[in-house]
Amino acid sequence: MAHKNQMASTPLSAAPSLLDTIFPWVLPVLLFFSITGTSRFAAALLGAVFLVFSIGRLPPRRLRERLSPLTLAVFLYALVCLCSGLWSHFGSYAVRESAKTLAAFSIFGILLVRARREKLRGLLQALNAVLAVIALLCIDASSLQLLSRGFSWVMGLFKAGYPMDSIGYETGVRITGIFSNANVSAGLLAFGLLISLYLLRSAAEEREKLGVCVALGVQALAFFLSFSMGAMAAFAVTCLVYVLCSAKGTRLSLFLLMLECVVATVLCAFAATPFLGGGGAGVVPVLAAIVCGLLIWALDRFVGRRLLARLDGHDKAVAIFTAALVALAAVYVLLAYSLTGGITLSGTLSRAVYPDAGSYTVSFEGIDASVVIYSQTEPELMMHTNTPLYEGSLSGASFTVPEGSRVVWFELAGDGDLSSLTLSDGTVLPLGYKLLPDFAANRLQGLWANQNFIQRLVFFRDGMKLFSASPLIGWGAGGVEGQLTGVQSFYYESKYIHNQFIQIMDEAGVLGLAAFAFLLGSALWMLVRRRKTDADPVLAMLAACLTMMIAHSLTEVVWSTQVYQSAVFVLFAVLILHCAEPKAESIPSPARGWTAMAAMWCVAAVFTGLLSGHLLAARQMRNLDTGNITPTEFMSAMQTMDRLDVYDDSDYKVNLMGNALQTGTAIGQGLASRCARELLATQEYDACYNTAAYYYLPLRDLPNFFDAVQTGLRQERSNPDAWNSAFHLFKSTFEQLEAADMEDFVSGVLSTGEQLDAANADMMAPIVLDDGNQALLDCARSLGSATGEAARTVLAAALS
């Protein structure tokens, strides 16, 4: 038996294959591509790469060593997410979400079958380098736009859109990075910060420390300039967990290193902020990022390490010093928020105060700037609306704050010095913040009545409504974006709930929630179990990463992005690799390795194939020369595309339905009827609208015509554009009807009007039809018993 176990492990040390030889060289590229290759084509390509790298006898043997509850949890979570795309009724959204999961699952699989446990530090260094490059691109996109322009062009080759006019900078507030979303950028870069801290503290050579410090500085500055308050709050908790999970003798050094990063980052942020947004000096923020890293290295090398050497062995002094550092940091935060003064206006400036209801006048010192003053109640904060109070010059400013107002905003504009601005009750408007960069001061306005936070509560409430309507399997991938308008109390656009627990419940029901809880729980279990016998500091870093994953997922969309999800799956792979048992007696049987490999291979192959079918169908549609083919050939092409695309096949069905109906044959009628049934079964507005317009209307089946439209409107219940487009369809339909159709037509318009009234009864912001559509509804309601030609004449006059 001993001989057999030894033989079983021999191939692991055999001569490396070609794939093993090239893997270390392509690893950074694969990591970078899995995070930034945010297109369906890129996801399918990654799936194919995983299938290639899983070829051979070595991958199942490696996977056998790496089987664990977390391995199973990642597999099941990815499988549930991928399968939910198949039961979603919103194909165009589902295929986009499924592609993200496929990309993350593919890089996870590649690492499990090809990464070597003894090269784990190299894997972390590669991931850290990738995140540092992304951080530098985010800063460059907000300023110089040289590196990011080249990046945009390269990623365009893989159909991943990074348009230069939509990435980079939210004027006066924060950088949005290459992902056009500061919250996502900050969440991703938080992992880079944690990895850099680990690599720096465990580096043996000064040269390596310097390189890691540069990466750390770039990541820290990009993270701070992103100024995502949700990410910062989550990261603060994460840092605390990192310190507590570290060995007792290393906690002070870690905490001191964190403070050094904060000092260097804030100083460099002051230097970089004036040059954000482009311009001739756009290179300054990019250089400031490098300087930030060098400053962290200098602080650590010449201050931190020397201070730690002096404190070594003096436990009481260490405790006092730590308490002093914490107190100093708290004092700085308090002073930074409260120490204000005058400001030099150049353009516009927004500031917020929280006065009680009542009448106010304004006194000021400095230029007589123009000002717009408005208030927001809690419902207005939810809907991102406001109540105007005053507009004009400061010298004539007087206004009345209504009851229920949560915050009052001043939007100042002018050029010159404004020393102070005070309300008649003594409230001082904060203008300049002496200890904060301008973008941070701007971002902190309205902190105690933050409309983004309040709207997240609306997202959570509406998300729970969606879950209660389909609790077992949810609405499928992309279902939130598609179905959210059906439960809203006012119309807003959002693809995600901003809470991953509710998001997965809405997309995959309790099945998805169980998979997500198993994923997080198995990672936590593995960390706790391993830490009892393993003092490797990588575990403390991974525990901090898990904390960030959970804390940030409570208020953000990060888990719903490929950018974040791929990084998360890579970190899970790192944890699995570290905890993999190399001892032969602890390795599962070879059959389990081959079974696990077959399962992963099948999932990757099936969903890469399905995604490829979608891409192939879309390409055929783009290249279809409709001018040189017969109707029969056109329908045949539509049927082929419909079979190829299991996700987004509505357009093919609509084209097939309309053309088949026009053939006038029994076969054509049957084909059109089948397409109509399948489109209506989605209960999606566009599908139902097209079924009404291109199937029931040509058949003059008005009862089913209106029923189809009303079915679709239930999905878009809060969307004014959907209601108006439906009534526009009614108006164009009227022009095609005869007097004999008037009874069914009027009945349909009236029943749709009743549906609109029922929707408005639950809406915070009622849906308003445009004048022509309202005229049609009013006229239909005024007809009384008029039918036939009389009804047609009255309606024609109203619509004219």
PDB file of all heavy atoms in Angstrom, residues 584-598:
ATOM      1  N   ALA A 584       0.127  12.010   1.445  1.00  0.00           N
ATOM      2  CA  ALA A 584      -0.596  11.049   0.613  1.00  0.00           C
ATOM      3  C   ALA A 584      -1.785  10.445   1.333  1.00  0.00           C
ATOM      4  O   ALA A 584      -2.838  10.212   0.757  1.00  0.00           O
ATOM      5  CB  ALA A 584       0.353   9.943   0.149  1.00  0.00           C
ATOM      6  N   GLU A 585      -1.638  10.168   2.649  1.00  0.00           N
ATOM      7  CA  GLU A 585      -2.728   9.509   3.372  1.00  0.00           C
ATOM      8  C   GLU A 585      -3.950  10.396   3.542  1.00  0.00           C
ATOM      9  O   GLU A 585      -5.038   9.931   3.838  1.00  0.00           O
ATOM     10  CB  GLU A 585      -2.236   9.027   4.753  1.00  0.00           C
ATOM     11  CG  GLU A 585      -1.731  10.149   5.669  1.00  0.00           C
ATOM     12  CD  GLU A 585      -0.240  10.398   5.515  1.00  0.00           C
ATOM     13  OE1 GLU A 585       0.339   9.960   4.491  1.00  0.00           O
ATOM     14  OE2 GLU A 585       0.347  11.018   6.412  1.00  0.00           O
ATOM     15  N   SER A 586      -3.771  11.709   3.386  1.00  0.00           N
ATOM     16  CA  SER A 586      -4.907  12.627   3.551  1.00  0.00           C
ATOM     17  C   SER A 586      -5.546  13.001   2.227  1.00  0.00           C
ATOM     18  O   SER A 586      -6.524  13.730   2.207  1.00  0.00           O
ATOM     19  CB  SER A 586      -4.443  13.898   4.276  1.00  0.00           C
ATOM     20  OG  SER A 586      -3.510  14.605   3.472  1.00  0.00           O
ATOM     21  N   ILE A 587      -5.002  12.499   1.128  1.00  0.00           N
ATOM     22  CA  ILE A 587      -5.516  12.847  -0.187  1.00  0.00           C
ATOM     23  C   ILE A 587      -6.668  11.921  -0.551  1.00  0.00           C
ATOM     24  O   ILE A 587      -6.571  10.706  -0.360  1.00  0.00           O
ATOM     25  CB  ILE A 587      -4.406  12.747  -1.258  1.00  0.00           C
ATOM     26  CG1 ILE A 587      -3.261  13.711  -0.910  1.00  0.00           C
ATOM     27  CG2 ILE A 587      -4.946  13.072  -2.639  1.00  0.00           C
ATOM     28  CD1 ILE A 587      -2.067  13.585  -1.822  1.00  0.00           C
ATOM     29  N   PRO A 588      -7.785  12.464  -1.070  1.00  0.00           N
ATOM     30  CA  PRO A 588      -8.891  11.596  -1.491  1.00  0.00           C
ATOM     31  C   PRO A 588      -8.440  10.623  -2.575  1.00  0.00           C
ATOM     32  O   PRO A 588      -7.399  10.790  -3.211  1.00  0.00           O
ATOM     33  CB  PRO A 588      -9.926  12.588  -2.029  1.00  0.00           C
ATOM     34  CG  PRO A 588      -9.575  13.899  -1.414  1.00  0.00           C
ATOM     35  CD  PRO A 588      -8.090  13.879  -1.254  1.00  0.00           C
ATOM     36  N   SER A 589      -9.278   9.615  -2.817  1.00  0.00           N
ATOM     37  CA  SER A 589      -8.949   8.593  -3.811  1.00  0.00           C
ATOM     38  C   SER A 589      -8.865   9.212  -5.199  1.00  0.00           C
ATOM     39  O   SER A 589      -9.485  10.240  -5.481  1.00  0.00           O
ATOM     40  CB  SER A 589     -10.031   7.507  -3.791  1.00  0.00           C
ATOM     41  OG  SER A 589     -11.268   8.067  -4.223  1.00  0.00           O
ATOM     42  N   PRO A 590      -8.090   8.571  -6.111  1.00  0.00           N
ATOM     43  CA  PRO A 590      -7.970   9.109  -7.472  1.00  0.00           C
ATOM     44  C   PRO A 590      -9.314   9.286  -8.159  1.00  0.00           C
ATOM     45  O   PRO A 590      -9.492  10.221  -8.946  1.00  0.00           O
ATOM     46  CB  PRO A 590      -7.104   8.051  -8.169  1.00  0.00           C
ATOM     47  CG  PRO A 590      -6.311   7.422  -7.073  1.00  0.00           C
ATOM     48  CD  PRO A 590      -7.208   7.404  -5.880  1.00  0.00           C
ATOM     49  N   ALA A 591     -10.253   8.380  -7.871  1.00  0.00           N
ATOM     50  CA  ALA A 591     -11.567   8.475  -8.525  1.00  0.00           C
ATOM     51  C   ALA A 591     -12.248   9.793  -8.196  1.00  0.00           C
ATOM     52  O   ALA A 591     -12.902  10.396  -9.060  1.00  0.00           O
ATOM     53  CB  ALA A 591     -12.441   7.296  -8.089  1.00  0.00           C
ATOM     54  N   ARG A 592     -12.087  10.261  -6.963  1.00  0.00           N
ATOM     55  CA  ARG A 592     -12.722  11.522  -6.588  1.00  0.00           C
ATOM     56  C   ARG A 592     -12.099  12.690  -7.348  1.00  0.00           C
ATOM     57  O   ARG A 592     -12.771  13.653  -7.701  1.00  0.00           O
ATOM     58  CB  ARG A 592     -12.608  11.737  -5.084  1.00  0.00           C
ATOM     59  CG  ARG A 592     -13.485  10.797  -4.269  1.00  0.00           C
ATOM     60  CD  ARG A 592     -13.344  11.051  -2.784  1.00  0.00           C
ATOM     61  NE  ARG A 592     -13.794  12.375  -2.413  1.00  0.00           N
ATOM     62  CZ  ARG A 592     -13.707  12.872  -1.174  1.00  0.00           C
ATOM     63  NH1 ARG A 592     -13.161  12.146  -0.210  1.00  0.00           N
ATOM     64  NH2 ARG A 592     -14.142  14.086  -0.912  1.00  0.00           N
ATOM     65  N   GLY A 593     -10.794  12.608  -7.587  1.00  0.00           N
ATOM     66  CA  GLY A 593     -10.151  13.654  -8.368  1.00  0.00           C
ATOM     67  C   GLY A 593     -10.670  13.702  -9.787  1.00  0.00           C
ATOM     68  O   GLY A 593     -10.960  14.782 -10.321  1.00  0.00           O
ATOM     69  N   TRP A 594     -10.801  12.543 -10.411  1.00  0.00           N
ATOM     70  CA  TRP A 594     -11.325  12.511 -11.780  1.00  0.00           C
ATOM     71  C   TRP A 594     -12.799  12.930 -11.824  1.00  0.00           C
ATOM     72  O   TRP A 594     -13.233  13.603 -12.769  1.00  0.00           O
ATOM     73  CB  TRP A 594     -11.158  11.100 -12.352  1.00  0.00           C
ATOM     74  CG  TRP A 594      -9.756  10.814 -12.800  1.00  0.00           C
ATOM     75  CD1 TRP A 594      -8.804  10.111 -12.126  1.00  0.00           C
ATOM     76  CD2 TRP A 594      -9.155  11.254 -14.016  1.00  0.00           C
ATOM     77  NE1 TRP A 594      -7.628  10.075 -12.842  1.00  0.00           N
ATOM     78  CE2 TRP A 594      -7.819  10.767 -14.020  1.00  0.00           C
ATOM     79  CE3 TRP A 594      -9.600  12.005 -15.099  1.00  0.00           C
ATOM     80  CZ2 TRP A 594      -6.936  11.006 -15.058  1.00  0.00           C
ATOM     81  CZ3 TRP A 594      -8.726  12.245 -16.147  1.00  0.00           C
ATOM     82  CH2 TRP A 594      -7.401  11.751 -16.127  1.00  0.00           C
ATOM     83  N   THR A 595     -13.562  12.550 -10.805  1.00  0.00           N
ATOM     84  CA  THR A 595     -14.970  12.947 -10.756  1.00  0.00           C
ATOM     85  C   THR A 595     -15.103  14.466 -10.623  1.00  0.00           C
ATOM     86  O   THR A 595     -15.914  15.099 -11.313  1.00  0.00           O
ATOM     87  CB  THR A 595     -15.680  12.262  -9.578  1.00  0.00           C
ATOM     88  OG1 THR A 595     -15.577  10.848  -9.718  1.00  0.00           O
ATOM     89  CG2 THR A 595     -17.150  12.662  -9.529  1.00  0.00           C
ATOM     90  N   ALA A 596     -14.308  15.041  -9.724  1.00  0.00           N
ATOM     91  CA  ALA A 596     -14.346  16.497  -9.545  1.00  0.00           C
ATOM     92  C   ALA A 596     -13.908  17.215 -10.811  1.00  0.00           C
ATOM     93  O   ALA A 596     -14.504  18.218 -11.210  1.00  0.00           O
ATOM     94  CB  ALA A 596     -13.451  16.896  -8.372  1.00  0.00           C
ATOM     95  N   MET A 597     -12.868  16.677 -11.468  1.00  0.00           N
ATOM     96  CA  MET A 597     -12.382  17.295 -12.700  1.00  0.00           C
ATOM     97  C   MET A 597     -13.457  17.222 -13.784  1.00  0.00           C
ATOM     98  O   MET A 597     -13.675  18.191 -14.530  1.00  0.00           O
ATOM     99  CB  MET A 597     -11.117  16.586 -13.163  1.00  0.00           C
ATOM    100  CG  MET A 597     -10.393  17.258 -14.324  1.00  0.00           C
ATOM    101  SD  MET A 597      -9.563  18.810 -13.859  1.00  0.00           S
ATOM    102  CE  MET A 597     -10.730  20.025 -14.443  1.00  0.00           C
ATOM    103  N   ALA A 598     -14.127  16.086 -13.866  1.00  0.00           N
ATOM    104  CA  ALA A 598     -15.185  15.920 -14.861  1.00  0.00           C
ATOM    105  C   ALA A 598     -16.331  16.896 -14.606  1.00  0.00           C
ATOM    106  O   ALA A 598     -16.892  17.479 -15.555  1.00  0.00           O
ATOM    107  CB  ALA A 598     -15.701  14.475 -14.844  1.00  0.00           C
TER     108      ALA A 598
END
